[in-house]
Amino acid sequence: MCGIIGYTGPLEAKRILLEGLSGLEYRGYDSAGIAFFDTDSQIRLVRQVGKVEALKEACGRIAADSHCGIGHTRWATHGGVTAENAHPHQAGRVTLIHNGIIENYHQLTEEYHLAEKLCSQTDSEVAAWVLDALYEGDPLDAVRQLTKKLEGTYGFCILFADRPGEIYAVRRISPLVASYTHSGALIASDLTALLPYTQKYFVVPEQSIVRLTPYKVQAYDQETFEKLQPEIMRVNWNMDAAMKNGFPHFMLKEIHEQPEAMKNTVLPRLSKGLPDFSDDRIPDALFAECSQIHVIACGTAMHAGMVAKSIMEPLLRIPVTVTIASEFRYQQPLIDSSTLAIVISQSGETIDTLAAMELAEDLGAKTLSIVNVKGSTIARESQYVLYTHAGPEIAVASTKAYTVQLAALYMIACRMALVRGIYSREEAAAFFGEFLDVIPAMEAMLQKQEEMKAVVSHLIQSPDAFFIGRGLDYAFSLEGALKLKEISYIHAEAYAAGELKHGTIALISENVPVIAIATQDRIFSKAMSNVREVKARGAFVILLTREGAPVDKSLADVHITIPPVRDIFTVFPIAVALQLIAYYASVGKNLDVDQPRNLAKSVTVE
Ligand code: F6R
């Protein structure tokens, strides 16, 4: 989950590392540090608790020039938030940064008699001391031996005191990407850190060790030390995509980018008005031959899966199971060779999702991932990948990634209905024609943001909020509640509206905010009965319906309408409305919208 950057080359390394860390801060923001070779080829270390700004201030006091160094933003796993636990860690001749978890660090501490030497409580420092013990002047050999000792996951960048100008890197599961540019050699946990310098990169292959010098980046096979030629990839994002561009927060910018992201994801895959995955090399047989679907994901991506279930099951008439990835692994899931596992992940690096996907594949499922970050582990390791084209998502709270994941799922649903003979070509084209109306509907909701802003003055007075809905509206509510709680810290829960009476309604009292979503014609009157029940108990009701819905005005304290798209597509404008409500609630409480407490963007630890 931590952010990693390394640089060696002609430019001033400290500046590159600090700028890189600012861009990577969404990966972790409890502390940060850098280590670099100074002009005397001595390694200097600066670590600071808090955000990268604090580290920048501390580094500002250091005059030393530098052309090679490594930097890290931390999301604590082992040990509290202290300068000693911040990376880089130094052990004898070794200085390193680490992303991941070393599971056998206790055993290694004993085996190498490290208890007296350790200055921190981290597993990473243990790895540094082990590497120092193994180092006899050949970095490749020492790193190879280290990897044989370690259990767990890691992405390491390492400086050896007697190798100025060189950085060594190795990874297992935790992501690392590297590039050689005219300005020197770079390595990072995320592509966004490379974007100011290059759009070309390669994913550090597992089973390799990478050496960065000012003139070259070279990957070596971990066993034979033969030179490897990893595939060079090109990202189509540019720096603008990773900047706020006049918006006060990344989250607001990303909410506004959704119509464009939808177009980028959907339009290139339309052929004669139908979804077509030929360019993604996803064969129709994958959709024709499966007898059940398992959706595997975490958090917001899992909520996209919940919507997919509500769409796919009635349309395709096959079982669609949605499982939280961290639970999937321990549930002995019923999977066979006729199972299609759809694995959803913005980052493509979420470790629980990755592990669940590997299990599904071991059990015989075909795996199709829906991923935003090109070349990420899940994308590479799934049998088929459908990339979403949302561009970089920097705010920790996911917004545009969610709606493009949904777009991909709706496209799959439509294609499956076609290839399974449920839809004729005309019916599939009609479905998709109506689907495209969601893009202007999302644009229309963005125009209404003042309405969402107005709602929050009441919302932020309350410690709790409830989201209710039935059917598809319930699936949307789950995401609305998550968005609100993660960035406004208001305790928010989503309930199937009909379930309230079975317990939860005890929590509804005078002025408690209830966000009621009622966009489904078939169950509209039932949903309104549930709204009536909470209203009768004094709730402050924020009601979201389609324009023209027959609403009894006395039930809603605030009534927000979305354009009248077909009921199975209402999630798109509703998502925009709920995201804006959460955003303005966070702003209204003066919180850190883009980097909420305790969270990090990419969850690469279990
Ligand atoms: C919430 C959020 C998280 C992620 C989850 C999965 O706003 O962003 O719940 O959706 O951590 O992340 P990915 O999609 O990268 O696998």
Side-chain angles (χ1 to χ4, degrees):
M1 306 179 62
C2 310
I4 280 183
I5 179 147
Y7 170 78
T8 178
L11 306 180
E12 189 358 68
K14 279 202 312 293
R15 185 182 59 75
I16 293 180
L17 298 178
L18 291 171
E19 286 315 311
L21 290 181
S22 294
L24 287 173
E25 203 163 28
Y26 61 89
R27 276 218 163 231
Y29 30 87
D30 61 41
S31 50
I34 59 170
F36 55 89
F37 286 99
D38 66 15
T39 33
D40 298 326
S41 296
Q42 298 301 309
I43 294 179
R44 304 273 296 264
L45 191 65
V46 192
R47 298 185 294 190
Q48 200 70 31
V49 167
K51 295 224 172 190
V52 174
E53 262 329 291
L55 180 69
K56 281 185 177 168
E57 244 182 81
C59 289
R61 297 192 283 273
I62 298 172
D65 221 13
S66 166
H67 296 285
C68 175
I70 53 180
H72 187 272
T73 56
R74 180 168 186 250
W75 187 88
T77 56
H78 292 63
V81 179
T82 62
E84 292 72 33
N85 287 338
H87 300 219
H89 291 287
Q90 256 181 334
R93 296 150 299 168
V94 168
T95 304
L96 60 72
I97 52 178
H98 169 222
N99 177 16
I101 289 185
I102 306 302
E103 286 163 8
N104 59 335
Y105 78 109
H106 276 307
Q107 294 93 304
L108 291 170
T109 305
E110 280 177 24
E111 187 183 335
Y112 285 84
H113 310 291
L114 300 178
E116 299 292 298
K117 289 182 171 171
L118 295 174
C119 309
S120 75
Q121 298 146 311
T122 65
D123 51 341
S124 315
E125 192 195 352
V126 172
W129 281 110
V130 173
L131 182 58
D132 182 59
L134 297 170
Y135 184 49
E136 288 175 358
D138 180 347
L140 291 182
D141 185 57
V143 173
R144 171 175 61 183
Q145 290 191 59
L146 176 72
T147 59
K148 293 191 192 312
K149 293 273 174 198
L150 300 180
E151 286 166 22
T153 59
Y154 46 80
F156 285 114
C157 287
I158 307 157
L159 305 178
F160 290 92
D162 56 349
R163 296 283 182 147
E166 295 181 8
I167 300 171
Y168 290 82
V170 68
R171 77 178 192 98
R172 178 163 184 271
I173 299 182
S174 303
L176 282 176
V177 288
S179 184
Y180 184 73
T181 75
H182 295 305
S183 323
L186 289 136
I187 188 157
S189 50
D190 294 46
L191 268 177
T192 44
L194 305 184
L195 280 181
Y197 310 95
T198 181
Q199 288 177 299
K200 284 193 194 157
Y201 67 98
F202 68 88
V203 177
V204 171
E206 292 202 18
Q207 312 297 332
S208 79
I209 301 169
V210 169
R211 185 205 320 254
L212 289 90
T213 67
Y215 317 102
K216 203 171 182 164
V217 181
Q218 181 64 60
Y220 299 90
D221 182 279
Q222 234 174 63
E223 288 306 317
T224 62
F225 298 152
E226 270 171 37
K227 290 182 179 173
L228 302 175
Q229 303 297 334
E231 184 193 350
I232 301 293
M233 310 185 86
R234 176 179 269 280
V235 64
N236 48 9
W237 307 340
N238 57 24
M239 251 330 263
D240 267 5
M243 308 283 278
K244 285 188 196 147
N245 291 344
F247 285 92
H249 299 100
F250 279 111
M251 183 178 175
L252 189 61
K253 173 184 172 241
E254 289 161 8
I255 291 172
H256 279 263
E257 282 172 343
Q258 291 181 104
E260 202 52 38
M262 292 281 290
K263 286 180 203 158
N264 293 341
T265 301
V266 173
L267 299 184
R269 296 185 171 110
L270 270 192
S271 166
K272 300 190 181 127
L274 295 172
D276 183 314
F277 301 119
S278 329
D279 289 349
D280 303 290
R281 285 187 243 147
I282 301 173
D284 280 343
L286 188 71
F287 300 136
E289 286 162 14
C290 66
S291 66
Q292 60 162 341
I293 296 175
H294 269 260
V295 180
I296 303 167
C298 298
T300 292
M302 192 273 292
H303 292 157
M306 297 287 284
V307 176
K309 175 184 167 70
S310 302
I311 296 297
M312 287 178 169
E313 230 165 25
L315 177 63
L316 305 173
R317 305 308 299 158
I318 55 172
V320 180
T321 311
V322 184
T323 315
I324 298 168
S326 54
E327 293 293 314
F328 180 87
R329 301 171 64 184
Y330 306 103
Q331 276 181 349
Q332 304 181 345
L334 294 172
I335 300 254
D336 57 26
S337 58
S338 71
T339 304
L340 172 62
I342 301 184
V343 179
I344 313 172
S345 176
Q346 187 285 130
S347 61
E349 301 293 351
T350 302
I351 198 153
D352 284 320
T353 310
L354 175 64
M357 180 177 86
E358 286 168 351
L359 173 63
E361 208 168 310
D362 287 350
L363 295 172
K366 313 270 183 316
T367 54
L368 165 62
S369 64
I370 298 176
V371 172
N372 196 42
V373 178
K374 213 170 158 187
S376 55
T377 313
I378 291 174
R380 281 181 292 111
E381 295 197 358
S382 55
Q383 290 162 353
Y384 302 96
V385 56
L386 212 164
Y387 281 114
T388 52
H389 299 301
E393 193 177 65
I394 309 286
V396 164
S398 189
T399 53
K400 59 179 179 171
Y402 171 67
T403 43
V404 294
Q405 285 160 357
L406 287 167
L409 289 162
Y410 276 79
M411 292 187 95
I412 292 171
C414 183
R415 186 80 202 171
M416 278 185 93
L418 180 67
V419 301
R420 294 172 83 92
I422 295 165
Y423 275 166
S424 64
R425 290 186 79 79
E426 293 67 36
E427 284 167 330
F431 173 97
F432 223 73
E434 284 185 78
F435 170 81
L436 292 176
D437 292 343
V438 305
I439 298 174
M442 292 167 91
E443 278 159 354
M445 289 318 285
L446 291 169
Q447 299 303 318
K448 288 187 168 197
Q449 58 181 312
E450 288 305 317
E451 283 183 42
M452 269 59 88
K453 203 172 178 175
V455 165
V456 304
S457 56
H458 184 90
L459 202 54
I460 62 176
Q461 308 300 323
S462 173
D464 306 297
F466 296 91
F467 287 71
I468 60 170
R470 282 172 172 259
L472 258 176
D473 289 331
Y474 169 56
F476 314 161
S477 306
L478 291 167
E479 176 56 11
L482 175 63
K483 229 46 345 148
L484 186 65
K485 66 186 134 190
E486 72 180 321
I487 58 169
S488 76
Y489 315 150
I490 294 170
H491 164 240
E493 295 297 337
Y495 289 96
E499 184 64 11
L500 280 185
K501 296 189 273 301
H502 301 283
T504 312
I505 204 158
L507 297 171
I508 306 294
S509 57
E510 206 59 34
N511 277 329
V512 169
V514 173
I515 294 142
I517 307 171
T519 67
Q520 306 296 302
D521 273 350
R522 204 166 48 86
I523 42 177
F524 185 78
S525 59
K526 301 271 178 225
M528 294 318 286
S529 308
N530 301 132
V531 173
R532 205 163 276 120
E533 288 158 9
V534 292
K535 191 68 204 149
R537 282 149 185 93
F540 181 88
V541 174
I542 300 160
L543 178 64
L544 288 99
T545 69
R546 283 186 292 177
E547 278 162 23
V551 170
D552 170 353
K553 297 264 186 274
S554 69
L555 293 182
D557 296 279
V558 180
H559 182 202
I560 296 170
T561 58
I562 61 162
V565 292
R566 191 174 150 187
D567 52 4
I568 54 170
F569 302 135
T570 52
V571 63
F572 295 92
I574 288 286
V576 174
L578 299 181
Q579 292 162 354
L580 285 167
I581 289 173
Y583 171 78
Y584 283 115
S586 182
V587 171
K589 291 181 80 176
N590 212 7
L591 297 172
D592 191 340
V593 177
D594 285 336
Q595 294 175 350
R597 70 185 176 207
N598 304 341
L599 294 173
K601 184 70 184 161
S602 178
V603 184
T604 51
V605 294
E606 275 184 64

